[in-house]
């Protein structure tokens, strides 16, 4: 208690000093204000300096008025305007950026015990505990990282979320920073399955992983190297699991995947079974290369280049990171000038592993990257010049007043980049972007051979994303996705996969779906068979989100075959959210991207079109007292079997359905819950619950 009171008094003392010392630079702002006070060093009676590592403890307040009005330093005593008020551990981060007087930081939000992580939402970003304070190093425009991450996100990829803020550390106004999500495995960041140290055999060993091509800092260790066309090596490092946590089997698995990629791109192998399309998620590689090349990032491919892979999923490129040297900007103070608008970075500067250039030059990949580039630069699209120009103007206006304070704190020095040149730099940046778009348009390639790709009539027709627990069966075990072949043609499924992170599934090679057939992908094959009465087609990895998820069924090159983005709220049927029903598409010929074309259904599942052949089957009443009626509108001269069983799975009655209207006396059964199934030629065609009262 004494310690807590001591720090509280110290905090208010320092607060007064901060307010007095900083009022000439920062008293209020249109941006959120972050105030950090490190703990007192007992040897000096002064706040701890913030080292490169390890983290030092501190208290942090984040001032933000949620209605969007101005933020005042005096709001630090008003809980209503504190987006965060608590403990953190903080350290310096970065490499070349640490050379500058204005330092970048990394911090972890902590609970009051100063040890446990505290997952919190900062400025509306999803809850987490690891954060970055990007110091805008070497970027006079103040917008390059912010713009790049936003563009990548607008393209449909995960990129670190960002917010501009102003920062005070230990009574020292530090200027404008970008509060940034740290790249890590998290359902709201890089959404991967957690891998444990005992996950050393397939399929567990297949993910999730985050690795990066990068330089080494501090205690980093190189995991493996790969040659590049520049004549040197590219270092690959483990990011998740960390070097000290990854097992030998896991390290071998992910390393071999990269060597396999290199082997299938030179000489090129485009087989859907064992070529590079079977290894990588092509859309993520397309978008990563487009962003790297569009920004002409001279460090792309060699440094700060991330990859990730989910369990049972494909290798993916991204998220993007470190784009302060881009759009014509470089480390000019050190004599570097490499971000030109008329070069391909994969063959000009830090070229990275050879597979980047090999992919770009492969005919099919080049066709798709050209197609994607033309889509993204079309009118109103993320990489259209006018779209980007307007975004930059918005950032410039947002930073107008804080840029003055930034310059006051960090005045111009000969040869060093400062925000004194912001307006001039942004004007030059816009000219550069226009030139870059024109150059890429003239040099990227042709999309003629992949513009009108025919995709089959496969329809996502049922989704059970949040089943109800039922006896010994758990909700997550009962999930399924139904896919229907809405055509009269058999369709090969080789190379097809579910593309969006969250659920992983790749159809096995040489499998197919028959005309008008429906197949089920389940979360647990044995539970599915026991509960629903027939064997699913296959099992997906991980689980469907109970709130919202985008199911994208794609071919091997990423062409979308079908796509459904469901949600657990209106206008989607809310009865499918944990109440026992599943989502059912009303008609296979309707647009299944529209919530209005889905209903919540508790109908019995069936395979093929057996129930259609029977036309209609009715089992009633339910609940029952003594007599149950089974009515069939058409029997087609087939003998059907009806079995009723208790919650233990024990049969309590077997009957042969020899007429179209059969009444069964179940008065001998005790009141309770029972299940029945109906078999046709040994195949379960219907299953449901009966309640006897």
């Amino acid at each position: 208690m004494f310690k807590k009171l001591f720090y509280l008094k110290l905090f208010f003392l320092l607060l007064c000093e901060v307010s007095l010392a900083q009022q000439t630079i920062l008293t209020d702002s249109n941006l959120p204000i972050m105030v950090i006070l490190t703990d007192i060093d007992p040897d000096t009676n002064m706040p701890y300096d913030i080292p490169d590592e390890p983290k030092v403890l501190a208290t942090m307040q984040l001032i933000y008025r949620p209605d969007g009005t101005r933020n005042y330093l005096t709001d630090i005593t008003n809980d209503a305007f504190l987006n965060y008020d608590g403990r953190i551990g903080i350290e310096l981060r970065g490499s070349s950026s640490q050379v500058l007087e204005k330092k970048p930081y990394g911090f972890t939000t902590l609970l009051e015990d100063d040890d446990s992580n505290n997952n919190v939402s900062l400025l509306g970003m999803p809850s987490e505990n690891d954060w970055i304070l990007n110091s805008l190093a070497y970027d006079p425009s103040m917008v390059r990282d912010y713009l790049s991450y936003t563009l990548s996100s607008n393209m449909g990829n995960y990129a670190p979320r960002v917010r501009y803020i102003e920062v005070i550390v230990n009574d020292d106004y530090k200027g404008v920073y970008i509060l940034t999500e740290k790249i890590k495995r998290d359902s709201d960041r890089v959404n991967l399955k957690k891998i444990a140290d005992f996950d050393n055999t397939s399929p567990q060993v297949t993910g999730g992983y985050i690795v990066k091509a990068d330089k080494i800092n501090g205690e980093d260790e190189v995991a493996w190297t790969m040659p590049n066309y520049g004549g040197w090596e590219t270092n690959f490092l483990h990011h998740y699991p960390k070097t000290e946590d990854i097992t030998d089997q896991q390290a071998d698995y992910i390393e071999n995947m990269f060597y396999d990629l290199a082997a299938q791109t030179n000489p090129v192998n485009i087989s859907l079974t064992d070529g590079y399309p079977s290894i990588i998620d092509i859309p993520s590689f397309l978008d990563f290369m487009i962003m790297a090349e569009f920004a002409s990032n001279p460090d792309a491919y060699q440094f700060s280049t991330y990859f990730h892979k989910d369990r049972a999923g494909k290798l993916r490129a991204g998220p993007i990171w470190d784009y302060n040297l881009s759009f014509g900007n470089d480390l000019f103070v050190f004599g570097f000038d490499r971000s030109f608008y008329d070069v391909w970075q994969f063959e000009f500067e830090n070229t990275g592993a050879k597979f980047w250039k090999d992919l770009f030059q492969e005919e099919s990949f080049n066709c798709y990257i050209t197609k994607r580039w033309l889509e993204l630069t079309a009118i109103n699209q993320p990489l259209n010049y006018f779209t980007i120009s307007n975004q930059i103007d918005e950032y410039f206006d947002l930073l107008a007043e804080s840029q003055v304070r930034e310059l006051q704190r960090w005045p111009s020095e000969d040869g060093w980049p400062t925000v004194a040149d912001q307006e001039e730099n942004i004007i030059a940046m816009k000219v550069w972007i226009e030139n870059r778009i024109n150059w890429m348009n003239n040099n990227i390639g042709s999309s003629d051979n992949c513009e009108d790709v025919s995709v089959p009539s496969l329809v996502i027709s049922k989704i059970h994303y949040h089943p109800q627990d039922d006896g010994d069966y758990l909700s997550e075990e009962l999930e399924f996705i139904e896919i229907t072949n809405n055509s009269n043609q058999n369709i090969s499924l080789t190379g097809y996969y579910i593309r969006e992170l969250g659920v992983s599934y790749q159809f096995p090679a040489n499998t197919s779906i028959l005309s008008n057939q429906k197949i089920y992908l389940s979360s647990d094959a044995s539970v599915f068979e026991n509960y629903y009465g027939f064997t699913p087609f296959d099992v997906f990895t991980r689980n469907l989100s109970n709130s919202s998820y985008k199911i994208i069924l794609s071919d091997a090159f990423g062409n979308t075959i079908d796509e459904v983005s469901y949600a657990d709220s209106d206008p989607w049927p809310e009865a499918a959210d944990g109440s026992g029903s599943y989502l059912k598409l009303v008609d296979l010929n309707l647009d299944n991207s529209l919530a209005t074309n889905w209903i919540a259904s508790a109908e019995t599942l069936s395979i093929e079109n057996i129930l259609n052949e029977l036309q209609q089957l009715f089992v009633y009443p339910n609940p029952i007292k003594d007599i149950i009626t089974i009515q069939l509108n058409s029997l087609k001269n087939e003998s059907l079997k009806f079995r009723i069983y208790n919650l233990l799975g024990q049969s309590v009655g077997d009957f042969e359905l020899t007429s179209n209207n059969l009444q069964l006396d179940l008065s001998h059964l005790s009141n309770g819950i029972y299940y029945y199934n109906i078999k046709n030629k040994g195949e379960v065609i219907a299953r449901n619950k009966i309640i006897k009262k």
Side-chain angles (χ1 to χ4, degrees):
M1 183 66 180
F2 173 79
K3 180 180 178 182
K4 188 172 183 179
L5 288 173
F6 171 77
Y7 282 123
L8 189 61
K9 291 178 181 178
L10 176 65
F11 165 72
F12 281 112
L13 177 63
L14 289 173
L15 171 62
C16 294
E17 293 178 358
V18 168
S19 300
L20 291 171
Q22 295 304 326
Q23 62 183 356
T24 58
I25 297 181
L26 176 64
T27 58
D28 57 285
S29 175
N30 63 318
L31 302 178
I33 302 170
M34 180 179 287
V35 178
I36 297 171
L37 295 169
T38 60
D39 288 357
I40 297 298
D41 182 346
D43 294 331
T44 64
N45 289 322
M46 297 293 291
Y48 279 106
D49 290 332
I50 300 175
D52 191 343
E53 57 181 354
K55 291 184 174 75
V56 296
L57 294 171
T59 298
M60 184 184 88
Q61 281 76 31
L62 183 54
I63 303 168
Y64 174 65
R65 295 197 175 204
D67 62 358
T69 55
R70 293 190 67 79
N71 302 293
Y72 294 84
L73 195 56
T74 53
D75 288 339
I76 202 166
T77 59
N78 190 334
D79 289 343
F81 300 142
L82 291 181
N83 186 255
Y84 183 79
D85 182 8
R87 301 291 285 166
I88 64 170
I90 187 169
E91 64 185 353
L92 300 180
R93 66 168 305 277
S95 52
S96 61
S97 54
Q98 282 197 36
V99 174
L100 301 174
E101 286 190 66
K102 183 184 179 184
K103 307 296 183 185
Y105 303 99
F107 69 90
T108 301
T109 47
L110 300 172
L111 296 176
E112 287 299 318
D113 63 8
D114 288 339
D115 183 56
S116 305
N117 291 336
N118 184 16
N119 288 338
V120 293
S121 171
L122 299 182
L123 302 179
M125 293 184 279
S127 293
E128 241 293 342
N129 59 77
D130 280 326
W131 307 88
I132 301 295
L133 288 176
N134 180 328
S135 60
L136 309 175
Y138 306 105
D139 180 14
S141 76
M142 305 175 73
V143 305
R144 282 178 168 85
D145 272 327
Y146 201 104
L147 173 67
S148 298
Y149 298 160
T150 303
L151 291 178
S152 182
S153 177
N154 291 345
M155 289 162 63
N157 308 290
Y158 168 73
R161 299 173 182 89
V162 285
R163 301 288 188 274
Y164 282 114
I165 63 172
E166 295 191 74
V167 177
I168 298 172
V169 178
N170 291 337
D171 194 21
D172 184 3
Y173 175 73
K174 295 295 186 181
V176 180
Y177 282 75
I178 304 176
L179 177 62
T180 308
E181 292 181 331
K182 182 179 179 180
I183 292 177
K184 65 182 296 187
R185 186 200 67 82
D186 183 273
S187 60
D188 289 308
R189 295 189 184 180
V190 185
N191 186 5
L192 303 176
K193 175 75 173 176
K194 184 176 182 179
I195 191 168
D197 57 8
F198 50 78
D199 291 329
N200 295 312
T201 57
S202 188
Q204 289 78 15
V205 75
T206 64
Y209 298 97
I210 305 175
V211 299
K212 61 179 179 177
D214 209 349
K215 61 177 76 72
I216 56 174
N217 291 308
E219 298 180 356
D220 289 342
E221 295 182 19
V222 175
W224 72 89
T225 63
M226 299 184 76
N228 59 47
Y229 285 113
W232 57 90
E233 298 288 312
T234 298
N235 295 330
F236 285 81
L237 288 69
H238 296 300
H239 186 76
Y240 174 83
K242 296 179 181 178
T243 301
E244 60 267 28
D245 297 327
I246 197 167
T247 68
D248 291 343
Q249 296 91 332
Q250 293 164 0
D252 288 344
Y253 173 83
I254 192 63
E255 179 180 348
N256 288 336
M257 175 152 281
F258 279 83
Y259 281 117
D260 194 17
L261 172 59
Q264 304 312 320
T265 52
N266 191 0
V268 64
N269 178 1
I270 62 170
S271 166
L272 305 185
T273 302
D274 59 8
Y276 80 82
S278 70
I279 300 171
I280 65 171
D281 171 64
I282 290 176
S284 68
F285 275 73
L286 298 176
D287 281 5
F288 187 93
M289 288 197 78
I290 285 173
M291 270 304 304
E293 294 300 338
F294 172 57
S296 194
N297 183 347
D299 283 346
Y301 311 123
Q302 183 75 4
F303 304 127
S304 300
T305 296
Y306 284 83
F307 305 84
H308 56 282
K309 184 188 180 300
D310 204 1
R311 182 168 297 175
K314 292 187 173 187
L315 180 66
R316 298 168 183 259
I320 68 165
W321 187 251
D322 269 356
Y323 269 61
N324 59 327
L325 307 181
S326 61
F327 299 109
N329 189 46
D330 205 351
L331 296 170
F332 300 123
V333 68
F334 298 125
F336 291 99
D337 186 6
R338 304 163 295 172
S339 182
F340 299 115
Y341 70 79
D342 57 354
V343 299
W344 293 120
Q345 287 293 341
F346 61 77
E347 62 183 8
F348 174 68
E349 186 54 38
N350 289 316
T351 60
K354 290 182 177 181
F355 58 73
W356 289 111
K357 182 176 181 179
D358 294 336
L359 281 170
F360 186 86
Q361 293 182 338
E362 194 280 307
E363 182 178 357
S364 295
F365 189 93
N366 184 266
C367 186
Y368 279 103
I369 200 170
T370 304
K371 178 181 179 181
R372 179 65 169 153
W373 166 253
L374 295 175
E375 292 171 352
L376 291 169
T377 53
I379 295 175
N380 296 325
Q381 293 305 302
L383 301 190
N384 178 269
Y385 171 76
F386 295 104
T387 302
I388 295 174
S389 180
N390 290 336
Q391 277 186 273
I392 293 174
D393 289 343
E394 290 177 8
Y395 302 154
F396 181 76
D397 292 342
L398 179 67
L399 296 169
E401 65 169 87
S402 59
Q403 183 264 355
V404 176
R405 290 187 287 269
E406 176 82 7
L407 186 58
Q408 184 179 351
R409 178 62 180 85
W410 306 108
S412 299
E413 294 184 41
D414 289 342
W416 290 88
T418 72
V419 298
D421 306 317
Q422 183 197 32
E423 185 172 6
E424 178 183 341
N425 192 270
I426 282 180
I427 292 172
M429 180 179 171
K430 286 186 175 183
V431 173
W432 187 99
I433 289 172
E434 190 169 23
N435 288 335
R436 183 60 169 170
I437 291 174
N438 291 334
W439 186 87
M440 288 183 65
N441 283 340
N442 292 326
N443 289 273
I444 193 167
S446 171
S447 62
D448 289 348
N449 292 332
C450 55
E451 280 295 340
D452 298 312
V453 177
S454 176
V455 294
S457 297
L458 295 180
V459 180
I460 299 168
S461 46
K462 290 188 180 78
I463 306 168
H464 208 1
Y465 68 89
H466 191 186
Q468 190 175 41
D469 290 343
D470 196 345
D472 293 333
Y473 298 111
L474 300 178
S475 171
E476 63 184 18
E477 299 172 328
L478 298 171
E479 297 175 358
F480 64 78
I481 301 169
E482 179 192 82
I483 299 172
T484 301
N485 180 356
N486 191 30
S487 77
N488 295 320
Q489 303 294 321
N490 296 345
I491 297 171
S492 171
L493 298 173
T494 300
Y496 293 2
Y497 70 112
I498 294 178
R499 197 168 86 205
E500 195 78 2
L501 285 175
V503 166
S504 292
Y505 183 71
Q506 300 180 64
F507 283 92
N510 304 314
T511 56
S512 61
I513 181 171
L514 302 178
S515 61
N516 300 303
Q517 183 187 14
K518 52 188 174 184
I519 59 175
Y520 291 90
L521 303 178
S522 71
S523 57
D524 188 304
S526 61
V527 168
F528 185 96
E529 184 170 5
N530 290 335
Y531 189 82
Y532 297 111
F534 58 94
T535 304
F537 179 87
D538 209 347
V539 176
F540 54 75
T541 300
R542 304 184 66 188
N543 288 99
L544 294 165
S545 169
N546 286 349
S547 54
S548 63
Y549 177 60
K550 182 190 295 183
I551 305 175
I552 304 178
L553 179 62
S554 299
D555 69 13
F557 282 91
N559 295 298
T560 298
I561 298 168
D562 198 22
E563 176 180 334
V564 176
S565 296
Y566 69 78
D568 63 348
S569 57
D570 188 67
W572 286 87
E574 296 183 29
D577 183 23
S579 299
S581 297
Y582 53 82
L583 291 174
K584 178 185 177 182
L585 183 63
V586 174
D587 188 312
L588 293 174
N589 297 307
L590 294 177
D591 184 353
N592 63 357
S593 68
L594 301 178
T596 51
N597 291 331
W598 292 80
I599 61 171
S601 173
E603 293 176 357
T604 303
L605 293 186
S606 64
I607 57 173
E608 309 298 340
N609 291 314
I610 296 173
L611 286 182
N612 288 337
E613 293 177 5
L614 293 173
Q615 294 183 8
Q616 287 187 344
L617 179 151
F618 299 97
V619 179
Y620 62 91
N622 193 7
I624 67 169
K625 184 175 181 181
D626 293 319
I627 305 298
I628 188 170
T629 299
I630 303 166
Q631 179 180 327
L632 305 171
N633 284 358
S634 173
L635 194 59
K636 289 198 172 182
N637 300 318
E638 294 171 344
S639 179
L640 305 182
K641 305 291 186 182
F642 180 92
R643 169 174 288 185
I644 185 168
Y645 50 98
N646 60 25
L647 289 175
L648 298 177
Q650 300 166 329
S651 173
V652 294
D654 286 281
F655 308 90
E656 188 168 319
L657 305 183
T658 56
S659 70
N660 286 21
N661 196 303
L662 183 67
Q663 291 187 328
L664 303 176
D665 185 356
L666 302 181
S667 60
H668 63 286
L669 297 180
S670 302
N671 291 345
I673 297 175
Y674 297 86
Y675 290 92
Y676 71 82
N677 64 39
I678 299 175
K679 289 186 177 182
N680 175 45
K681 297 179 180 179
E683 194 80 60
V684 175
I685 63 169
R687 183 185 190 278
N688 213 335
K689 181 190 301 183
I690 297 174
I691 300 175
K692 186 173 186 299
K693 292 185 176 181

